[in-house]
């Protein structure tokens, strides 16, 4: 683990979306010996997360259902934030199975309220405190496209890690075609 990286961090695994572009529940797609959600949950624990909170109705992972479904990742994060303790968090989508421990550590080693990879809203490191909670609540209460992770990045003046070393790790599967391409890369 990097000397500058916080040793005490937690993760939010976003797994509550409708998977409308995929046409089936992405979290339950097969990956390795199990499902995508099981893979991502295990990856976060392996990377050193003290706790993994699953956003979405996932009883097998003690998931926290969205109080208002259909609000996207920003809405889900804003709804979940009041239940999260202060400190360092990593927010990860369920559909990014090539994510690496090295990228997780690179994001967590950035000394900023918010850190992500350039041109990618997720994964994202957040230093959760009262100020960040207020920003999450404000943006999460908005309607439509102004309720976005990009708006969160802007308000928190996110620090961006260069993308080139992480291109493969950042691939996700939102459509059957993207999913097919991911499965050939494992």
């Amino acid at each position: 683990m990097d000397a500058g990286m916080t040793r005490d961090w937690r993760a939010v695994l976003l797994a509550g979306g409708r998977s409308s572009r995929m046409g089936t529940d992405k979290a339950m797609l097969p990956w390795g010996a199990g499902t995508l959600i099981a893979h991502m949950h295990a990856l976060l624990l392996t990377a050193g997360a003290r706790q993994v909170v699953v956003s979405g109705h996932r009883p097998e992972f003690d998931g926290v259902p969205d109080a208002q479904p259909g609000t996207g990742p920003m809405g889900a994060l804003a709804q979940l934030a009041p239940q999260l303790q202060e400190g360092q968090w990593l927010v990860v989508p369920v559909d990014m199975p090539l994510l690496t421990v090295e990228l997780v550590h690179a994001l967590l080693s950035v000394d900023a309220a918010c850190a992500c990879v350039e041109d990618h809203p997720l994964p994202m490191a957040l230093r959760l405190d009262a100020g960040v909670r207020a920003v999450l609540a404000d943006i999460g209460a908005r309607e439509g496209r102004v309720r976005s992770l990009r708006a969160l990045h802007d308000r928190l003046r996110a620090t961006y890690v260069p993308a080139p070393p992480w291109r493969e790790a950042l691939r996700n599967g939102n459509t059957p075609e993207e999913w097919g391409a991911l499965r050939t890369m494992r």
Side-chain angles (χ1 to χ4, degrees), residues 53-74:
V53 175
V54 176
S55 173
H57 182 69
R58 306 290 175 183
E60 66 278 22
F61 290 95
D62 294 324
V64 180
D66 294 338
Q68 296 176 335
T71 58
M74 182 60 231

Side-chain angles (χ1 to χ4, degrees), residues 5-13 44-45 47-54 77 83-92 104 108 124-128 133:
M5 190 183 89
T6 181
R7 298 183 192 288
D8 186 22
W9 62 278
R10 292 164 173 75
V12 170
L13 179 57
L44 292 166
L45 291 173
R50 178 183 205 136
Q51 173 189 20
V52 177
V53 175
V54 176
L77 184 58
Q83 301 171 53
L84 305 177
Q85 76 179 64
E86 291 195 357
Q88 189 72 28
W89 287 84
L90 186 75
V91 182
V92 177
V104 167
L108 292 168
M124 169 178 53
L126 276 180
R127 192 168 42 227
L128 193 58
R133 281 183 207 282

